[in-house]
């Protein structure tokens, strides 16, 4: 008889003993395999919420597939007996250029939610600037009191993107503990979903560059902005004094038919000319993807969906597995490419699709 055991994971029960399904089929050997485990573990509504993108989901596919069109150019006869993946982010040394992306509603994936994710790695936190600025100020003050070192301002959500799977599933957003007493949003009885109501209450379509000055005025923490896709916006971000830029298209969940983030990373890096660090988010599934993003100028990469899928499949342990797999793959890629340290990864180590086509002319 097949049944779910407390929702995590799927188990097979045979007259007095049980065998975990993932043990039957073997442990995952790469982060992509956690997605199928998450599909088995989660209700369809929640899996679709995490896995889906906007409208035709063209950009969702491109975020991953664009990496496939970038080739690595390895160097040989380099001493790679010791590989150093460590780097610094905002002055803090980390063991590898891998961060956890700001992602929403971890408790839909696992009962321990963000707590389990945070225990597995130092997760980023995101702050939305609410229409009610007093709510945003309260959240910023809470972050400071609890020892957070930076704020990430998501700038690509003036309105909620059209996520058709959520519309079909009548997705209902759960109440958020950190907004208790600050914000109350009820479900729309007409369609069974309160996501749109939540978006209208919390996302500010009037948010603009001058509001970053307001945010800087209420905190001493460095502010990074997430959601930049053009060199023009990158220049403006540097001019208003942000501490860092995250190249991101919101996991392809906002505007469809934007470029894959790896395709615009170099444009942003060139635009800021080293004035602020540039981080990368979107479509990372392999250590080779991380290597390519670093070669194109990212200081570090952020991991989103794979972390959620690891959390859904195996809780905190699954998140640790996902991060370790990516670290192991990056280390091997560096060794096989002749790069003993992160600083040795250069633009000359990759060839983009445009460059390949140019050489054929």
């Amino acid at each position: 008889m097949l049944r779910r055991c407390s929702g995590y994971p799927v188990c097979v029960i045979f007259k007095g003993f049980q065998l975990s399904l993932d043990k039957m089929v073997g442990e995952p050997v790469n982060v992509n395999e956690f997605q199928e485990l998450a599909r088995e573990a989660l209700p369809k509504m929640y899996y679709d919420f995490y896995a889906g993108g906007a409208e035709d989901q063209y950009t969702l596919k491109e975020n991953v597939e664009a990496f496939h069109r970038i080739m690595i150019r390895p160097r040989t006869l380099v001493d790679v007996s010791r590989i150093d993946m460590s780097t610094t982010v905002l002055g803090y040394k980390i063991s590898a250029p891998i961060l956890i992306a700001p992602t929403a509603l971890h408790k839909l994936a696992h009962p321990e939610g963000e707590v389990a994710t945070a225990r597995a790695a130092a997760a980023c936190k995101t702050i939305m600037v609410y229409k009610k600025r007093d709510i945003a100020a309260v959240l910023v003050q809470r972050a400071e009191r609890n020892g957070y070192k930076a704020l990430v301002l998501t700038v690509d959500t003036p309105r909620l993107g059209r996520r058709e799977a959520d519309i079909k599933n009548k997705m209902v957003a759960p109440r958020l503990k950190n907004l208790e007493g600050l914000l109350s949003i009820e479900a729309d009885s007409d369609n069974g979903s309160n996501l749109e109501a939540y978006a209208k209450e919390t996302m500010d379509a009037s948010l603009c560059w001058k509001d970053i000055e307001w945010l800087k005025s209420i905190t001493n923490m460095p502010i990074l902005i997430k959601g930049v896709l053009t060199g023009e916006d990158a220049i403006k971000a540097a001019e208003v004094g942000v501490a860092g830029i995250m190249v991101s298209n919101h996991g392809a969940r906002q505007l469809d038919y934007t470029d894959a983030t790896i395709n615009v990373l170099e444009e942003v890096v060139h635009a800021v000319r080293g004035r602020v660090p540039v981080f990368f988010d979107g479509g990372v599934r392999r250590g080779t993807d991380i290597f390519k993003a670093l070669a194109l100028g990212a200081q570090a990469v952020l991991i989103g969906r794979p972390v959620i899928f690891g959390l859904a499949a195996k809780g905190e342990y699954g998140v640790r597995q996902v991060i370790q797999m990516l670290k192991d793959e990056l280390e091997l890629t560096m060794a096989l490419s002749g790069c003993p340290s992160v600083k040795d990864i250069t633009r000359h180590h990759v060839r983009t699709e445009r460059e390949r086509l140019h050489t054929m002319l």
Side-chain angles (χ1 to χ4, degrees):
M1 179 175 69
L2 185 67
R3 73 173 190 183
R4 293 189 186 275
C5 299
S6 302
Y8 305 94
V10 174
C11 299
V12 182
I13 311 299
F14 293 107
K15 290 186 178 180
F17 72 91
Q18 66 182 43
L19 185 61
S20 174
L21 188 61
D22 63 333
K23 295 295 183 183
M24 291 177 61
V25 300
E27 285 289 312
V29 296
N30 60 63
V31 301
N32 288 305
E33 294 182 358
F34 277 97
Q35 183 163 354
E36 187 56 37
L37 294 179
R39 189 198 303 269
E40 294 291 339
L42 292 173
K44 182 178 184 300
M45 176 187 294
Y46 295 165
Y47 174 80
D48 288 349
F49 172 75
Y50 289 128
E55 297 186 350
D56 297 328
Q57 303 189 117
Y58 172 82
T59 301
L60 180 67
K61 301 181 185 73
E62 271 293 289
N63 268 359
V64 174
E65 292 176 3
F67 275 107
H68 301 169
R69 298 189 289 271
I70 299 174
M71 297 293 106
I72 295 173
R73 303 178 67 241
R75 302 296 189 278
T76 57
L77 293 176
V78 177
D79 182 358
V80 290
S81 57
R82 297 183 63 182
I83 300 294
D84 181 10
M85 294 188 293
S86 65
T87 189
T88 58
V89 172
L90 301 179
Y92 295 92
K93 188 170 183 177
I94 56 176
S95 62
I98 300 172
L99 308 174
I100 293 181
T103 45
L105 305 179
H106 289 213
K107 280 199 170 185
L108 298 183
H110 189 274
E112 293 186 323
E114 286 82 356
V115 173
T117 305
R119 282 199 302 255
C124 298
K125 288 290 179 180
T126 186
I127 294 289
M128 298 282 189
V129 174
Y130 291 89
K131 289 182 179 179
K132 300 177 180 179
R133 290 297 199 260
D134 55 333
I135 294 178
V138 168
L139 295 178
V140 169
Q141 291 161 8
R142 283 182 186 172
E144 287 186 316
R145 285 198 306 270
N146 284 281
Y148 287 97
K149 303 302 182 185
L151 295 178
V152 178
L153 173 66
T154 300
V155 295
D156 59 0
T157 53
R159 294 175 59 178
L160 188 70
R162 182 177 174 81
R163 305 166 192 175
E164 295 179 358
D166 293 340
I167 295 171
K168 290 178 181 178
N169 291 331
K170 300 186 184 297
M171 174 68 187
V172 177
R175 296 181 182 276
L176 302 178
K177 294 282 290 183
N178 64 332
L179 294 180
E180 283 184 356
L182 298 175
L183 193 64
S184 177
I185 301 173
E186 300 300 327
D188 184 341
S189 58
D190 291 335
N191 61 19
S193 172
N194 67 351
L195 276 180
E196 188 63 30
Y198 175 83
K200 288 179 180 178
E201 185 68 20
T202 60
M203 296 176 181
D204 190 350
S206 72
L207 183 68
C208 58
W209 290 106
K210 63 181 176 60
D211 292 304
I212 293 179
E213 288 299 321
W214 169 80
L215 190 57
K216 289 169 65 178
S217 74
I218 65 170
T219 182
N220 292 318
M221 289 186 289
I223 298 168
L224 299 88
I225 63 170
K226 173 178 174 283
V228 172
L229 290 173
T230 65
E232 295 91 331
D233 280 349
I235 291 170
K236 288 183 179 180
E239 289 173 347
V240 300
V242 302
I245 294 171
M246 293 183 178
V247 176
S248 172
N249 54 29
H250 213 99
R253 294 162 65 80
Q254 281 297 102
L255 178 63
D256 202 10
Y257 294 96
T258 60
D259 236 326
T261 45
I262 194 63
N263 289 343
V264 301
L265 171 60
E266 199 166 22
E267 176 186 338
V268 172
V269 170
H270 287 167
V272 300
R273 294 180 297 178
R275 286 177 288 176
V276 295
V278 176
F279 303 95
F280 176 82
D281 170 48
V284 173
R285 300 294 185 270
R286 287 283 190 179
T288 49
D289 297 339
I290 299 171
F291 183 93
K292 293 171 185 178
L294 296 176
L296 291 172
Q299 183 169 342
V301 303
L302 295 100
I303 313 300
R305 285 184 177 89
V307 166
I308 292 292
F309 295 147
L311 181 67
K314 294 172 178 259
E316 178 186 342
Y317 176 64
V319 177
R320 293 204 309 268
Q321 280 188 294
V322 165
I323 296 171
Q324 191 59 51
M325 283 177 179
L326 291 172
K327 289 176 69 173
D328 291 344
E329 289 181 4
L330 174 60
E331 182 180 24
L332 180 59
T333 303
M334 290 171 63
L336 295 177
S337 300
C339 297
S341 71
V342 170
K343 70 178 187 301
D344 294 313
I345 304 172
T346 71
R347 180 62 177 82
H348 297 292
H349 283 95
V350 294
R351 179 178 288 133
T352 64
E353 181 181 33
R354 179 180 299 178
E355 290 167 331
R356 294 206 317 277
L357 291 175
H358 181 73
T359 61
M360 295 170 61
L361 296 178

